[in-house]
Amino acid sequence: LPSIEITNGQTTEGDYVEFVVSLTNPSTENITVSLTPTAGTATENDDYNPQVEVLINGVWTPASEAVIPAGETQIQARIKTQEDDVSEGKEEFTLTATVLDGATVNGTVTGIGTIIDDDGMPSILIGDAVLDEANGVMVFKVSLTNPSSVAVTVDFATQDDTATVGKDYLSTTGTITFPANTTVQYITVPVLDDNVYENDESFNVILSNPVNAEIADELGVGTIKDNDLPSIEITNGQTTEGDYVDFVISLTNPSDK
């Protein structure tokens, strides 16, 4: 009396996981089995298509049951996995073969299907930002090249360039977190307004210490646009004849030029 067995299968996401359902020795009767996939760490429809295909006369055919003909010892089955752009670890589902008709020593066997991710670790990038100094808060966009199935974190800190901390902007540090399956977060830095006419100034936001990702672009440049172009004014003057007339020529606000 034969026993029924099933192999495990493994593939890269987007391809088929193949299984072989077999008997330890031929039977004198047909052996009919049902084929049932079950989600594990892999999710039905998201990670694999639950439709089983069986190789019949050289053609892959959708089927939920299969027959091992009398005198033969095996059939082949496969399940299509789904391609995605999410960075994730290995994921698994199972395929269970249950004897519906025919005599075997055991009635049920289960094989494990393993899906290997091909998306790689995501990279983190930070964009530059530009703001009129009167508008208060500069926003930097930080993004991942592709989603991750686990949370991604990265530290950040501001750094002087031509702008000076405490005079042109406020020092800002912290950690941003990308929850699983997200790709965009934002960093905000307060910008200080003054009344001095000056060149546009800049500071940097530096990324460091990534977790579950790598940094592709660590430097975001924040440009503060000056809004203090002064006007020139002059007073009128008056005096008694024979004396001086005084005038005051002034700027509406200081200039560093």
Side-chain angles (χ1 to χ4, degrees):
L1 189 65
S3 297
I4 190 170
E5 299 177 340
I6 188 171
T7 59
N8 297 322
Q10 178 175 293
T11 194
T12 303
E13 63 180 13
D15 209 343
Y16 289 90
V17 178
E18 296 190 6
F19 302 85
V20 176
V21 181
S22 61
L23 300 175
T24 52
N25 51 277
S27 174
T28 58
E29 60 181 344
N30 290 345
I31 305 296
T32 303
V33 297
S34 63
L35 299 169
T36 307
T38 302
T41 52
T43 304
E44 183 178 306
N45 294 318
D46 289 339
D47 298 309
Y48 69 92
N49 186 330
Q51 176 64 66
V52 180
E53 296 181 3
V54 176
L55 189 61
I56 301 174
N57 297 322
V59 178
W60 287 105
T61 306
S64 59
E65 298 179 3
V67 176
I68 303 175
E72 298 185 15
T73 58
Q74 68 179 40
I75 57 96
Q76 291 176 264
R78 70 180 188 178
I79 291 178
K80 183 72 164 59
T81 65
Q82 309 285 38
E83 179 70 76
D84 61 32
D85 63 353
V86 178
S87 175
E88 54 202 347
K90 292 181 180 179
E91 296 176 307
E92 296 180 343
F93 64 93
T94 59
L95 181 65
T96 299
T98 302
V99 176
L100 300 177
D101 189 33
T104 57
V105 172
N106 54 331
T108 301
V109 288
T110 298
I112 299 172
T114 302
I115 306 172
I116 307 300
D117 183 61
D118 65 354
D119 297 298
M121 182 177 288
S123 296
I124 307 173
L125 306 98
I126 183 170
D128 297 333
V130 178
L131 183 76
D132 186 299
E133 68 178 6
N135 289 340
V137 177
M138 188 174 292
V139 180
F140 295 82
K141 180 180 178 180
V142 185
S143 57
L144 298 180
T145 52
N146 53 285
S148 173
S149 64
V150 296
V152 170
T153 64
V154 66
D155 296 339
F156 66 90
T158 52
Q159 177 190 74
D160 282 0
D161 189 2
T162 54
T164 302
V165 67
K167 173 178 174 289
D168 301 305
Y169 71 98
L170 295 182
S171 176
T172 305
T173 62
T175 301
I176 55 175
T177 299
F178 297 84
N181 299 310
T182 64
T183 58
V184 176
Q185 294 295 316
Y186 298 93
I187 296 170
T188 57
V189 179
V191 171
L192 303 178
D193 195 7
D194 60 32
N195 68 342
V196 178
Y197 177 57
E198 55 201 348
N199 290 326
D200 294 344
E201 297 174 308
S202 63
F203 63 92
N204 302 321
V205 176
I206 309 295
L207 302 181
S208 62
N209 303 320
V211 176
N212 296 321
E214 57 188 11
I215 296 176
D217 181 3
E218 67 175 8
L219 177 66
V221 178
T223 301
I224 304 171
K225 304 290 288 184
D226 186 71
N227 65 340
D228 297 303
L229 185 66
S231 298
I232 191 168
E233 298 177 342
I234 187 170
T235 61
N236 298 321
Q238 179 177 298
T239 191
T240 304
E241 62 180 3
D243 208 345
Y244 289 93
V245 178
D246 290 336
F247 300 85
V248 177
I249 301 171
S250 62
L251 298 177
T252 51
N253 52 278
S255 171
D256 67 357
K257 298 180 182 181

